[in-house]
Amino acid sequence: MTRLFLSLYVFITITLILLSAVLNYFFFSNNEDEQPQQYLVNTLTVLHEQSKLDQEQLDQIGLTWRITDIGNIPWSEADQVSLAAKQAVLLYDSQSNAQMYLLINEETLFEIDLPSTVSQQDSFYWYSASFFVLLALGTAIWIWPLWRDLQLLKSAAKQTNLSQKFEPIALESHSLVYPVGLALDELNAKVRELIKTQMELTGSVAHEFRTPLSRLKFALEAASIDDQAALTAINQDILELETLMHEMLSYTSLENQQPELNISQIPLLSLCQQRIDVCAPEKKFNITLSGENLIVLGDEHFIERAFDNLFQNALCHTKSKIVVHIEQKKSQIILSIDDDGSGIDAAHTQRIFEPFFRPDHGRTRNRGGAGLGLAIVKRIALWHNAKCWTQASPFGGARFCIAFALTSK
């Protein structure tokens, strides 16, 4: 940052000095050649004092002149004294045009139109305009490389993906933000290492659970336990641990890297009907599927998985019915799943798709699940440039939605 500050300070200082010197030279030089009007007045006054100024000479110079009566103009005492001393008197009209008056005799005088020149005020306006335009241009030239490098930093930060090989930010060593790029590279490497360690730990713990769980299941099968209620409870706990282990492994693999998607056209209504038949073959609840058989682009395996997770979530928390609906709104195809369960508090709707997040009531652990199903849905939606959210259902429970980009059939 010291380098950036010094560069800006030196740039502003040098620019102000150069602009002031150059513009002052062009606009406010006191050379006689840059004040032709005053030079002309002085020359004509000298010729008049020497009695060498006549009509023919004025015509040769190319000036517009007239002979006018001295009484046509109400002269001040100072002007009368100047005229009598053969000095020039300058008067200005409403358009700031100058006329020069020289006394010929007691009754007449020369009225000479002087060429117009740029006034000091006009020069100041041009000076100010030139100064600020050149300053803005110089500032833009100085800022352009900085803006380009900052855009590169922004792009690199957005494109960071754990599934890709780490590449340092490509900044030139002379760039003003080169130290910032190095710091971001170090931060990126540390974050990747931390996340990698966390994922490896999660996966290792989940894998290590398999052996003791298998032994415990085998021991229960071999043991003679008369209390069937206790045996059932133990088996249920083991099943829950196995489910948690599998979901942790699944989520870790999905979070670690984005798989290669096999994109195809999927008739969404048909897919939903097929998955409903698989997930709820016994039809314990009133399940309704409605809408058009719209086409979405996506990986069928992951679209099925996202629907299964949302549908299983509805099965766990509904009281009597589930409504699956597909509709087109503007440029989106929206899949919504409603249930009539206890619903989700508005305060929790922003966090419901976070890993392991559980609301305080209604959707508790005794309803099953490990708290990763909705996080997996969000991850799959991101891969397909889709959006997922939850809101209150008109049936009193929760509504979960996924919005896909519209495509033609």
Side-chain angles (χ1 to χ4, degrees):
M1 298 307 293
T2 303
R3 183 178 179 181
L4 179 61
F5 169 77
L6 290 177
S7 173
L8 178 60
Y9 180 80
V10 171
F11 165 77
I12 292 177
T13 302
I14 294 178
T15 301
L16 291 179
I17 293 174
L18 288 177
L19 285 180
S20 298
V22 172
L23 293 180
N24 278 331
Y25 175 79
F26 280 105
F27 285 95
F28 299 118
S29 175
N30 291 322
N31 293 335
E32 190 177 75
D33 293 340
E34 295 181 354
Q35 298 183 358
Q37 189 181 81
Q38 186 61 44
Y39 178 74
L40 179 61
V41 170
N42 294 338
T43 301
L44 294 177
T45 300
V46 171
L47 291 174
H48 182 62
E49 289 175 345
Q50 297 174 356
S51 300
K52 296 180 179 180
L53 184 65
D54 55 21
Q55 300 176 9
E56 183 178 355
Q57 197 164 24
L58 289 174
D59 289 336
Q60 289 178 354
I61 296 174
L63 295 173
T64 302
W65 60 274
R66 294 169 294 279
I67 295 177
T68 185
D69 189 74
I70 194 172
N72 292 339
I73 299 175
W75 302 100
S76 66
E77 293 182 3
D79 291 340
Q80 291 177 8
V81 172
S82 297
L83 290 173
K86 291 190 175 184
Q87 297 295 314
V89 175
L90 296 181
L91 298 179
Y92 297 88
D93 59 19
S94 58
Q95 283 76 36
S96 298
N97 296 318
Q99 285 82 39
M100 176 181 177
Y101 295 90
L102 293 170
L103 187 65
I104 300 175
N105 53 49
E106 294 181 355
E107 296 181 356
T108 60
L109 45 74
F110 283 122
E111 184 183 57
I112 305 170
D113 295 334
L114 297 179
S116 60
T117 59
V118 179
S119 66
Q120 286 290 98
Q121 186 176 15
D122 291 337
S123 296
F124 176 75
Y125 290 149
W126 281 108
Y127 174 90
S128 300
S130 302
F131 179 86
F132 289 112
V133 168
L134 292 175
L135 181 61
L137 180 61
T139 304
I141 294 174
W142 182 85
I143 286 179
W144 161 247
L146 180 62
W147 178 84
R148 178 197 59 202
D149 292 342
L150 289 176
Q151 286 294 109
L152 182 61
L153 291 178
K154 178 182 176 182
S155 177
K158 282 187 174 181
Q159 294 177 1
T160 299
N161 192 323
L162 294 176
S163 63
Q164 298 176 351
K165 182 181 178 181
F166 172 71
E167 296 290 344
I169 300 175
L171 287 175
E172 300 291 339
S173 58
H174 60 266
S175 171
L176 295 175
V177 294
Y178 182 72
V180 179
L182 291 179
L184 287 178
D185 284 340
E186 293 178 4
L187 178 62
N188 195 349
K190 290 179 181 178
V191 171
R192 284 171 173 268
E193 186 63 29
L194 288 173
I195 294 178
K196 180 181 178 181
T197 302
Q198 180 265 333
M199 291 180 175
E200 289 177 351
L201 177 62
T202 302
S204 298
V205 171
H207 277 292
E208 292 300 324
F209 262 115
R210 288 182 172 177
T211 301
L213 282 176
S214 298
R215 291 174 180 172
L216 183 58
K217 290 173 67 176
F218 179 77
L220 287 175
E221 291 290 337
S224 57
I225 300 178
D226 297 331
D227 190 348
Q228 291 298 319
L231 183 60
T232 301
I234 293 173
N235 283 323
Q236 184 64 34
D237 289 338
I238 293 175
L239 180 61
E240 185 175 340
L241 284 174
E242 284 184 327
T243 302
L244 174 60
M245 178 190 66
H246 287 300
E247 290 197 14
M248 286 179 64
L249 288 173
S250 178
Y251 182 75
T252 300
S253 63
L254 294 178
E255 183 72 11
N256 188 33
Q257 60 181 357
Q258 177 177 337
E260 182 178 350
L261 301 179
N262 297 316
I263 303 298
S264 62
Q265 292 187 337
I266 304 170
L268 196 55
L269 190 70
S270 301
L271 180 141
C272 292
Q273 183 61 67
Q274 175 189 354
R275 300 314 301 169
I276 289 173
D277 293 338
V278 172
C279 297
E282 299 178 1
K283 301 293 189 299
K284 294 182 179 180
F285 304 106
N286 180 16
I287 301 174
T288 303
L289 174 62
S290 62
E292 301 179 53
N293 199 19
L294 300 171
I295 302 297
V296 297
L297 286 178
D299 187 300
E300 185 170 358
H301 168 71
F302 288 110
I303 298 295
E304 285 182 358
R305 187 166 186 181
F307 176 82
D308 287 354
N309 286 1
L310 292 180
F311 188 71
Q312 292 289 354
N313 180 77
L315 286 175
C316 290
H317 303 100
T318 189
K319 296 177 181 177
S320 60
K321 68 177 179 178
I322 298 173
V323 176
V324 180
H325 183 65
I326 300 170
E327 62 180 334
Q328 176 182 333
K329 285 187 177 180
K330 296 182 179 179
S331 60
Q332 293 182 324
I333 296 175
I334 300 178
L335 165 65
S336 61
I337 302 178
D338 290 273
D339 63 61
D340 62 348
S342 56
I344 301 172
D345 290 344
H348 299 144
T349 55
Q350 298 299 321
R351 300 189 57 197
I352 196 66
F353 290 96
E354 294 180 4
F356 301 107
F357 175 76
R358 290 179 174 277
D360 295 334
H361 64 277
R363 297 172 183 261
T364 55
R365 185 173 294 277
N366 58 17
R367 299 277 185 120
L372 291 172
L374 296 179
I376 293 175
V377 171
K378 182 178 180 180
R379 178 61 53 184
I380 294 174
L382 289 175
W383 292 343
H384 290 80
N385 294 320
K387 298 179 181 178
C388 59
W389 70 91
T390 183
Q391 62 191 58
S393 169
F395 309 117
R399 167 180 289 178
F400 286 87
C401 303
I402 302 182
F404 300 94
L406 180 64
T407 184
S408 59
K409 291 186 178 181

